[in-house]
Coordinates of all heavy atoms in Angstrom, one line a residue:
L340 N -11.5 -44.0 26.0 CA -11.0 -44.4 24.7 C -12.1 -44.1 23.6 O -11.8 -43.5 22.6 CB -10.6 -45.8 24.7 CG -10.0 -46.3 23.3 CD1 -8.8 -45.6 22.9 CD2 -9.7 -47.8 23.4
R341 N -13.3 -44.6 23.9 CA -14.4 -44.4 23.0 C -14.7 -42.9 22.8 O -15.0 -42.5 21.7 CB -15.6 -45.1 23.4 CG -16.7 -45.2 22.4 CD -18.0 -45.8 22.8 NE -17.8 -47.0 23.7 CZ -18.7 -47.9 23.9 NH1 -19.9 -47.8 23.2 NH2 -18.5 -48.9 24.7
G342 N -14.6 -42.1 23.9 CA -14.9 -40.7 23.8 C -13.9 -39.9 23.0 O -14.2 -38.8 22.5
V343 N -12.7 -40.5 22.8 CA -11.7 -39.8 22.0 C -11.7 -40.3 20.6 O -11.7 -39.5 19.6 CB -10.3 -40.1 22.6 CG1 -9.2 -39.6 21.7 CG2 -10.1 -39.5 24.0
V344 N -11.8 -41.6 20.4 CA -11.7 -42.2 19.1 C -12.9 -41.8 18.2 O -12.8 -41.5 17.0 CB -11.6 -43.7 19.1 CG1 -11.7 -44.4 17.7 CG2 -10.3 -44.1 19.8
V345 N -14.1 -41.9 18.8 CA -15.3 -41.6 18.0 C -15.4 -40.2 17.4 O -15.6 -40.0 16.2 CB -16.6 -42.0 18.8 CG1 -17.8 -41.6 18.0 CG2 -16.6 -43.5 19.1
P346 N -15.2 -39.2 18.3 CA -15.2 -37.8 17.7 C -14.0 -37.6 16.7 O -14.2 -36.9 15.7 CB -14.9 -36.9 19.0 CG -15.5 -37.7 20.1 CD -15.1 -39.1 19.7
A347 N -12.9 -38.2 16.9 CA -11.8 -38.1 16.0 C -12.2 -38.7 14.6 O -11.9 -38.1 13.6 CB -10.5 -38.8 16.5
I348 N -12.8 -39.8 14.6 CA -13.3 -40.4 13.4 C -14.3 -39.6 12.7 O -14.3 -39.3 11.5 CB -13.9 -41.8 13.6 CG1 -12.8 -42.8 14.1 CG2 -14.6 -42.4 12.4 CD1 -13.3 -44.2 14.5
A349 N -15.3 -39.0 13.5 CA -16.3 -38.2 12.9 C -15.7 -36.9 12.3 O -16.1 -36.5 11.3 CB -17.3 -37.8 14.0
T350 N -14.7 -36.3 13.0 CA -14.1 -35.1 12.5 C -13.3 -35.4 11.2 O -13.5 -34.7 10.2 CB -13.1 -34.6 13.5 OG1 -13.8 -34.3 14.8 CG2 -12.4 -33.3 13.1
A351 N -12.5 -36.4 11.2 CA -11.7 -36.7 10.0 C -12.6 -37.1 8.8 O -12.4 -36.7 7.7 CB -10.8 -37.9 10.3
G352 N -13.7 -37.9 9.1 CA -14.6 -38.3 8.0 C -15.4 -37.1 7.5 O -15.5 -37.0 6.2
G353 N -15.8 -36.2 8.3 CA -16.6 -35.0 7.9 C -15.8 -34.1 7.0 O -16.2 -33.7 5.9
I354 N -14.5 -33.8 7.5 CA -13.7 -32.8 6.8 C -13.2 -33.5 5.4 O -13.2 -32.8 4.4 CB -12.5 -32.4 7.6 CG1 -13.0 -31.6 8.8 CG2 -11.4 -31.6 6.8 CD1 -11.9 -31.3 9.9
A355 N -12.8 -34.7 5.5 CA -12.3 -35.4 4.3 C -13.4 -35.5 3.2 O -13.2 -35.3 2.0 CB -11.7 -36.8 4.6
S356 N -14.6 -35.8 3.7 CA -15.7 -35.9 2.7 C -16.0 -34.6 2.0 O -16.2 -34.6 0.8 CB -17.0 -36.4 3.5 OG -16.8 -37.7 4.0
V357 N -16.0 -33.5 2.8 CA -16.3 -32.2 2.1 C -15.2 -31.8 1.1 O -15.5 -31.3 0.0 CB -16.5 -31.1 3.2 CG1 -16.6 -29.7 2.6 CG2 -17.7 -31.4 4.1
L358 N -14.0 -32.0 1.5 CA -12.9 -31.7 0.6 C -12.9 -32.6 -0.6 O -12.6 -32.2 -1.7 CB -11.5 -31.8 1.3 CG -11.3 -30.8 2.4 CD1 -9.9 -31.1 3.1 CD2 -11.3 -29.3 1.9
G359 N -13.3 -33.9 -0.4 CA -13.4 -34.8 -1.5 C -14.5 -34.4 -2.5 O -14.4 -34.4 -3.7
I360 N -15.7 -33.9 -1.9 CA -16.8 -33.4 -2.8 C -16.4 -32.2 -3.5 O -16.7 -32.0 -4.7 CB -18.0 -33.2 -1.9 CG1 -18.6 -34.5 -1.3 CG2 -19.1 -32.4 -2.7 CD1 -19.6 -34.3 -0.3
N361 N -15.6 -31.3 -2.8 CA -15.0 -30.1 -3.5 C -14.2 -30.5 -4.7 O -14.2 -29.9 -5.8 CB -14.2 -29.3 -2.5 CG -13.8 -28.0 -3.1 OD1 -14.4 -27.0 -2.9 ND2 -12.6 -28.0 -3.7
G362 N -13.4 -31.6 -4.5 CA -12.6 -32.1 -5.6 C -13.4 -32.6 -6.8 O -13.1 -32.4 -7.9
W363 N -14.5 -33.4 -6.4 CA -15.4 -33.9 -7.5 C -16.0 -32.8 -8.3 O -16.2 -32.9 -9.5 CB -16.5 -34.7 -6.8 CG -16.2 -36.1 -6.4 CD1 -16.2 -36.7 -5.2 CD2 -15.8 -37.2 -7.3 NE1 -15.8 -38.0 -5.2 CE2 -15.6 -38.4 -6.5 CE3 -15.6 -37.3 -8.7 CZ2 -15.2 -39.6 -7.1 CZ3 -15.2 -38.5 -9.2 CH2 -15.0 -39.6 -8.4
L364 N -16.4 -31.7 -7.6 CA -17.1 -30.6 -8.2 C -16.1 -29.7 -9.0 O -16.5 -28.8 -9.8 CB -17.8 -29.7 -7.2 CG -19.0 -30.5 -6.5 CD1 -19.6 -29.6 -5.4 CD2 -20.1 -30.9 -7.5
G365 N -14.8 -29.8 -8.8 CA -13.8 -29.0 -9.5 C -13.6 -27.6 -9.1 O -13.0 -26.8 -9.8
F366 N -14.1 -27.3 -7.8 CA -13.9 -25.9 -7.3 C -12.4 -25.7 -6.9 O -11.8 -26.6 -6.3 CB -14.8 -25.6 -6.1 CG -16.2 -25.6 -6.5 CD1 -17.2 -26.3 -5.8 CD2 -16.7 -24.8 -7.6 CE1 -18.5 -26.3 -6.1 CE2 -18.0 -24.8 -7.9 CZ -19.0 -25.5 -7.2
V367 N -11.8 -24.6 -7.3 CA -10.4 -24.3 -6.9 C -10.4 -23.6 -5.5 O -11.0 -22.6 -5.3 CB -9.7 -23.4 -7.9 CG1 -8.3 -23.1 -7.5 CG2 -9.7 -24.1 -9.3
G368 N -9.8 -24.3 -4.5 CA -9.7 -23.7 -3.2 C -8.6 -22.7 -3.0 O -7.7 -22.6 -3.9
D369 N -8.6 -22.0 -1.9 CA -7.6 -21.0 -1.6 C -6.6 -21.6 -0.6 O -6.9 -21.9 0.6 CB -8.2 -19.8 -1.0 CG -7.1 -18.7 -0.9 OD1 -6.9 -17.9 -1.9 OD2 -6.5 -18.5 0.2
K370 N -5.3 -21.8 -1.0 CA -4.3 -22.5 -0.2 C -4.0 -21.6 1.0 O -3.7 -22.2 2.1 CB -3.1 -22.8 -1.0 CG -2.1 -23.6 -0.3 CD -0.9 -23.9 -1.3 CE -1.3 -24.8 -2.4 NZ -0.2 -25.2 -3.3
T371 N -4.1 -20.3 0.9 CA -3.7 -19.4 2.0 C -4.5 -19.6 3.2 O -4.1 -19.5 4.3 CB -3.7 -18.0 1.5 OG1 -3.0 -17.8 0.3 CG2 -3.2 -17.0 2.6
M372 N -5.8 -19.9 3.0 CA -6.8 -19.9 4.1 C -7.4 -21.3 4.4 O -8.3 -21.4 5.2 CB -7.9 -18.9 3.8 CG -7.4 -17.5 3.8 SD -8.7 -16.3 3.6 CE -9.1 -16.5 1.9
V373 N -7.0 -22.4 3.7 CA -7.6 -23.7 3.9 C -7.5 -24.2 5.3 O -8.4 -24.9 5.8 CB -7.0 -24.7 2.9 CG1 -5.6 -25.0 3.2 CG2 -7.9 -25.9 2.8

Side-chain angles (χ1 to χ4, degrees):
L340 181 61
R341 190 183 322 201
V343 172
V344 173
V345 175
I348 292 173
T350 303
I354 294 172
S356 295
V357 172
L358 294 177
I360 293 170
N361 187 92
W363 279 119
L364 296 175
F366 295 129
V367 178
D369 188 87
K370 188 176 293 184
T371 308
M372 296 186 285
V373 69

